[in-house]
Structures are given as structure tokens and as C-alpha cells.
Amino acid sequence: MTHPSFATHEVFNQSPPFEDVDLFTVDQPLVDAVAAHGGAAAGTELFEFGQHWGSAAMAARGRIANENTPKLRTFDARGVRRDEVEFHPAYHELMARSAHAGLHNSTWTAEGRPAGGAAEVVRAAKFYMAAQVEAGHLCPITMTRASVAALAVQPDLLAQTMPLIATRAYDPGFAPWWTKRGMTLGMGMTEKQGGTDVRSNMTRAISDGDAYRITGHKWFMSAPMCDAFLVLAQADEGLTCFFMPRFAPDGSVNAIQFQRLKDKLGNRSNASSEVEFVGAYGMRVGDEGKGIRTIIQMVQLTRQDCAIASAGLMRSGLAHALHHARHRSVFQKHLADQPLMQAVLSDMALHVEASIALVMRLCRAFDLAPDDANEAAYMRLLTPAIKYWVCKSAPGFLYEAMECLGGNGYVEEGILARHYRESPVNAIWEGSGNVMCLDVLRALSREAEAAQAVLQHLAAEARGLPGAGEAVAFIGKAFGRPDSERVARLAVEKLALLAAAAALNRVSPHHAELFGRTRLAQDHAAMYGAVDFATGDIRGLLERALP
Ligand SMILES: Cc1cc2nc3c(=O)[nH]c(=O)nc-3n(C[C@H](O)[C@H](O)[C@H](O)COP(=O)(O)OP(=O)(O)OC[C@H]3O[C@@H](n4cnc5c(N)ncnc54)[C@H](O)[C@@H]3O)c2cc1C
């Protein structure tokens, strides 16, 4: 008996998968921003990275790692504590590829000093591309890289751990860190009663010989299979930073007991635990009572990574939207040729081009800061402002990108639904929006002279762009008000926009002009595409975004 055929129709007018593309070369704004900030010599390395991460195989790993979420194994069959989290092999593969490319360490020398040159810029380009494929696994990658800045205040500990952090091997085995081929580090600061206000931490550290015994809880502690965590706890002299390894020096499993894993909106390939320390072994990092000072450099680096990753998510949204619009016809005409869709896509392309120019400008400041006081001041003032603006713009942007694909954008087979669910987290963790605004105010008041010099420099770089003069005046006035905290969001957003215009002016002056016209001289409309760009400008923006 013959079965009826299910092939009732031919599938056509669907865009092919946006895979097996070189994520670097197709992204002219990225290529130009890297070159503008000293990274041109790494072109081949970045091309190879972009080709690998843009492959269909890597896209599949990203999807599988998010569909098969990590599982907490609290006890074994006999009721003995295990406190292990199991990840799908696809997650381990992503970790191994990121480690192989040095995303967790390439901004440091083997001794843990800033690598210099364009190390920050080159790594940021890779981080930006990796975020386009899978962002969850970047959490332990970024924490490992940032932890070196905190360990630097405890040179003996840095000297012991750096040989392992500096390798490009990823070793997922559950074993004492000193027996492994490479190691990862996480952070435990947030408690139930406070994440922003870590001074309210209740976790207690009692001195025990050369080390400490730590008892308490953490309400969020991500990537729980890291080999060690930097943990804040109250010691006799006040809040202090500790290095808490998964295994105690005698080789026994440290008393780090996971209660459960968070059920999160996005970021699902990454595990985030609730955890209790039951007299867990820890070593002091920095002086007692100096916990916040110890972690502050580290937090700058994770904030920088939040901005890079959010820019990467938006870039991916733009690339998928543009790719789809060039293949999909509606009313006998490709979407990419419909004037209204062109307005939407070009306005989005301008936002991404400005975001990557700004993020790379910031990374250049991180590269130069150790030897250049002005760049160090730029870094301190602009890191929170850039994290604020870039990260908070991502969810709205990704929603619009999704809509460009119509119904296909909303389903889980595509990557945009995942990006959309991922996008709010970078604004929330590592200092939420208001906290970033308060941080800008703090930098302005603590280092008033250096901060004023940065503002003057930005004004000079943006001079002549539409709205730049008014923006400079607005920022000066708003930050000068006695109630500046109340208007901090207004002022910080304007500061980020001015910095973005200045950064874009170095890379693509004509697009900086368009940016000034639509974002500085007037408030940008709530929706993308509510702009009036000339046909040539639309073509220029979209050709640069994706040839
Ligand atoms: C997926 C995920 C993973 C995480 N992983 C980790 C981890 O590995 N380690 C870790 O330590 N933490 C982690 N966190 C916690 C995260 O860092 C905190 O949630 C964050 O710092 C905010 O703290 P909170 O949740 O206590 O909110 P709160 O501090 O209560 O803040 C709530 C809101 O109030 C605002 N606010 C705070 N102070 C002020 C003020 N003075 N004026 C005006 N507004 C203010 C904030 O901007 C925020 O919007 C994770 C969080 C998430 C979502």
C-alpha cells in the first residue's frame, strides 16, 4: 500500500540560516573600530576566530547548551553530599574554545600584570563575537579574567594561581585546582538581604591559623563548578575578600553546599546557585576590612565585559534581521528594499555601529590606563556610563530585531528569542542601572579635576557634531546641580551619547554626524526607524553592517 505524500508544497521565500559566516570580516564597524584602537595587527587572528565562531557547528553548540540546562547533583545515591553541577558536553566545548582563544586571560601577562599593547581591544573583539553565538558560558570566562585584578592585591596567592589561570587549557574535572591543567574563578558577594549594598553581608569569617573558616550564605553565586570563588565576608576588621577553593588544602571537598540553582529568564546554559558555606576554608585576599577596595578593580572589568557582550547581542540581532530582510519578499519585493524596513534597519545599524565604536574606545582606555592618567580617568568615569547605556538598550533593540523576522523571530529554533531573554541580565548584574548612575556621580565628585578633563576632551572630540555643544552644556549643568542624583539618569544617558558620538567620529565621521543629528540634537524616538535618513545614508549604514 502506498502512503500519501506529506510533501504538499515546496518551501520557499524563507531566509537561509545565517551560519558559516566569518563574524569578523562581515562586520565593517567592528573591523574599523579594532583598527582605530591599535588592534589591526591581530586581523588574521580575529578573522580565524570569527570564522570558527560563525560556523554552524558553534551555533549548534550554543543552542544545545541552552536546551540542556545544568543540573545540580546535591547528593549521591547513598545520601552523601556531592554538590556538583553537571553541564552538557556542548557547554564544555564552548568553554574550551573560549579558553583556547584566551578570553579568560589574554589581557594579562603570565605574571598577572596588564598585557598592554592592544590586548583589551583584541580580546574585546573576540568576546563580542563569542557573545553573538552563546553568552551564558561567558560568565565564568569574564569572572576568571577579572579575578586577576583582585588577586593582584595578594601577590603570594596571585603567584600560586597565575600559572593555572595563564594556561589556555580548560579542565572541567572536579579536582583540587593545584592538580589541574587550567582553572576558572567565580564570585560570591550577593546575599539575600543585599546585592548592591554588600556592606550588609552577614557571612562571617573566623581566623584559623593562616587561613579562615567562613560560615554564611550567598543568594547568587554563578558558575558553581569554578575551581575557586572570591567571596566577601565579615572578618574582625570588617568586610574582607577571600579566596574560597572547591577543595581544601588537604584535598577534601570544601564545605560549600549548594541549596538549589536559580530558574532564570535567560542565561540558561550558565548555572547560578544559592549556596551555604559551613565553616568553609578560605584565604584572605587583601587586608581585613578592605573587601570593597579589593574587589573594585575586578568589578570594573566585569562591567566592561557586560557592555561588550550586550553590544555583541545587539550585533547578532542586527545581522540576523538584515540577513533575513535581504532574502524575504513581501508583496513581490525584498523586505530590505522596502523603504520603511530600510528606515528601521539603518537606524538599528547606527545604534550598533555607535555601540561598538564606544565599547572599543573604552577598551582602548583599559589598555592605556596603567601608563596614562587621562585614559585611567576616562575608564573610571565612562565604564559605568557605557555599561548603563549599552546594556540597558539591548532588550528593546533585540525585541525590534526579532520583529524584523516576523513570527520566525519569536520561536526558539532561531537565536533571537534566546538573545532577547539573555539581554536584560547585563544591565542587572555587576551594578544595576541606578547603581551605575551613582557610580558616575561618585567618579565626578571624587576625582573632580580628572573627570572635568575627560568631559572637556569629549567635547573637543565631538565638536561640530549636531547637538554636541548642547549636550556638553546639559551634562555640565545636570551634574553641577545640588540634587544631581535625582536627574542622574538624564545626565548619564547624555554623557554616554556624547561619548558614543565622539568615539564614532574617530571611526566613521559621517555616521557620527547622523548619530548626533538623531540622538544629540533631538531625543531619539521611542521606536527604531522613526528617522529621516537619505537613501545614500541608508545604503552606507547597511553595507557597512553586512556586505
Ligand atoms: C543571573 C544572575 C547571576 C548572578 N550571579 C552572581 C554571582 O555570581 N555572584 C554575585 O555575587 N552576585 C550575582 N548576581 C547578583 C547580582 O549581582 C545582584 O542581583 C545585583 O547586584 C543587584 O543586587 P540585588 O539583587 O540585591 O538588588 P538590590 O541591591 O536590592 O537593587 C534593587 C534595585 O535597586 C536599585 N538601587 C540600589 N541602590 C540604589 C540607590 N541607592 N538609589 C536608587 N536605586 C538603587 C538597583 O539599581 C536595582 O535596580 C547574579 C544575578 C543574576 C540575575
Side-chain angles (χ1 to χ4, degrees):
M1 184 184 143
T2 53
H3 292 283
S5 168
F6 287 103
T8 61
H9 65 283
E10 183 196 344
V11 177
F12 69 100
N13 196 26
Q14 289 280 356
S15 56
F18 184 66
E19 289 172 354
D20 288 324
V21 287
D22 158 17
L23 295 176
F24 184 64
T25 314
V26 298
D27 187 347
Q28 198 60 45
L30 172 64
V31 172
D32 289 350
V34 167
H37 296 296
T44 308
E45 184 184 339
L46 292 174
F47 156 71
E48 283 167 7
F49 186 93
Q51 213 172 28
H52 180 69
W53 280 81
S55 66
M58 288 303 277
R61 287 180 184 124
R63 177 180 54 75
I64 294 167
N66 281 276
E67 284 174 0
N68 299 275
T69 52
K71 296 193 174 44
L72 174 60
R73 304 296 181 202
T74 316
F75 300 99
D76 70 8
R78 289 153 292 136
V80 177
R81 286 206 81 94
R82 272 184 65 188
D83 292 303
E84 284 183 71
V85 178
E86 286 174 357
F87 291 87
H88 191 276
Y91 170 88
H92 291 304
E93 191 64 35
L94 291 160
M95 287 293 290
R97 301 291 167 140
S98 280
H100 178 69
L103 292 191
H104 68 307
N105 65 13
S106 60
T107 57
W108 304 111
T109 66
E111 294 75 37
R113 284 192 291 278
E120 290 280 357
V121 168
V122 173
R123 172 192 174 270
K126 292 181 185 172
F127 201 82
Y128 177 74
M129 290 187 266
Q132 296 172 39
V133 182
E134 209 294 303
H137 83 286
L138 294 175
C139 172
I141 293 288
T142 195
M143 291 193 294
T144 303
R145 190 286 276 227
S147 65
V148 176
L151 292 172
V153 303
Q154 196 64 47
D156 52 339
L157 192 52
L158 182 70
Q160 288 172 49
T161 50
M162 207 56 216
L164 280 148
I165 297 172
T167 73
R168 292 198 174 194
Y170 169 64
D171 184 344
F174 187 42
W177 64 266
W178 58 91
T179 66
K180 296 181 66 168
R181 289 177 296 121
M183 72 182 290
T184 51
L185 285 101
M187 298 170 189
M189 298 165 204
T190 306
E191 297 189 359
K192 289 174 184 141
Q193 71 282 1
T196 302
D197 184 8
V198 288
R199 283 188 177 82
S200 70
N201 268 203
M202 293 162 68
T203 296
R204 187 84 181 96
I206 308 285
S207 167
D208 179 17
D210 291 343
Y212 288 77
R213 290 286 157 191
I214 298 174
T215 302
H217 77 279
K218 295 293 163 186
W219 185 228
F220 280 91
M221 196 170 86
S222 288
M225 291 308 281
C226 283
D227 297 291
F229 301 89
L230 295 175
V231 165
L232 286 177
Q234 304 286 355
D236 286 349
E237 299 295 320
L239 196 65
T240 306
C241 181
F242 294 93
F243 174 85
M244 186 186 281
R246 285 303 309 272
F247 288 79
D250 64 2
S252 63
V253 177
N254 203 0
I256 299 174
Q257 302 188 344
F258 299 117
Q259 308 297 300
R260 58 177 174 173
L261 298 184
K262 301 285 192 189
D263 185 6
K264 297 177 287 184
L265 168 68
N267 194 250
R268 295 184 73 83
S269 67
N270 179 35
S272 300
S273 71
E274 294 169 15
V275 63
E276 288 184 357
F277 310 135
V278 190
Y281 170 90
M283 292 161 77
R284 188 169 41 76
V285 183
D287 292 337
E288 275 197 17
K290 300 281 187 258
I292 292 181
R293 188 185 293 177
T294 302
I295 63 168
I296 211 79
Q297 299 300 332
M298 172 171 90
V299 174
Q300 285 274 52
L301 294 173
T302 55
R303 289 174 179 172
Q304 174 199 16
D305 277 0
C306 287
I308 303 168
S310 284
L313 289 173
M314 291 191 282
R315 160 67 197 173
S316 181
L318 173 68
H320 279 90
L322 196 44
H323 171 80
H324 182 78
R326 284 178 180 161
H327 288 89
R328 177 80 165 182
S329 293
V330 178
F331 304 131
Q332 283 90 45
K333 203 165 157 189
H334 279 132
L335 283 173
D337 297 325
Q338 311 262 7
L340 193 45
M341 185 58 99
Q342 288 179 338
V344 173
L345 290 169
S346 56
D347 197 23
M348 291 169 70
L350 184 56
H351 182 76
V352 174
E353 185 160 353
S355 299
I356 190 59
L358 179 60
V359 160
M360 284 299 173
R361 170 66 187 92
L362 178 66
C363 294
R364 183 63 171 159
F366 274 84
D367 269 327
L368 298 175
D371 303 313
D372 185 328
N374 291 329
E375 293 294 324
Y378 183 100
M379 182 189 83
R380 283 193 294 274
L381 183 67
L382 269 302
T383 301
I386 293 171
K387 180 188 186 279
Y388 174 80
W389 180 66
V390 174
C391 296
K392 286 186 85 65
S393 71
F397 184 98
L398 283 156
Y399 148 65
E400 195 68 66
M402 206 192 278
E403 191 171 313
C404 293
L405 275 76
N408 285 5
Y410 194 69
V411 297
E412 292 289 346
E413 276 96 352
I415 199 171
L416 292 190
R418 168 148 59 90
H419 282 344
Y420 179 67
R421 284 186 280 101
E422 180 73 23
S423 59
V425 79
N426 283 323
I428 292 174
W429 63 16
E430 304 305 322
S432 312
N434 289 352
V435 178
M436 291 299 87
C437 293
L438 295 173
D439 228 49
V440 173
L441 293 183
R442 200 167 302 122
L444 275 165
S445 71
R446 285 206 183 143
E447 306 173 52
E449 217 172 291
Q452 286 309 326
V454 173
L455 290 178
Q456 278 166 16
H457 203 70
L458 283 180
E461 285 184 321
R463 188 164 297 133
L465 295 177
E470 292 84 340
V472 172
F474 180 88
I475 292 165
K477 225 164 136 186
F479 284 136
R481 278 168 58 155
D483 62 345
S484 59
E485 194 172 317
R486 205 163 50 76
V487 292
R489 279 195 177 214
L490 275 172
V492 170
E493 181 169 339
K494 198 68 99 182
L495 172 63
L497 290 170
L498 180 71
L504 194 52
N505 212 14
R506 282 193 189 196
V507 183
S508 176
H510 181 59
H511 289 170
E513 210 265 338
L514 289 182
F515 187 85
R517 185 144 62 77
T518 50
R519 270 88 171 160
L520 286 177
Q522 62 187 62
D523 287 337
H524 188 259
M527 308 302 164
Y528 286 97
V531 288
D532 181 8
F533 288 159
T535 311
D537 290 337
I538 289 172
R539 201 177 309 118
L541 281 161
L542 298 184
E543 274 304 308
R544 272 172 70 73
L546 197 65

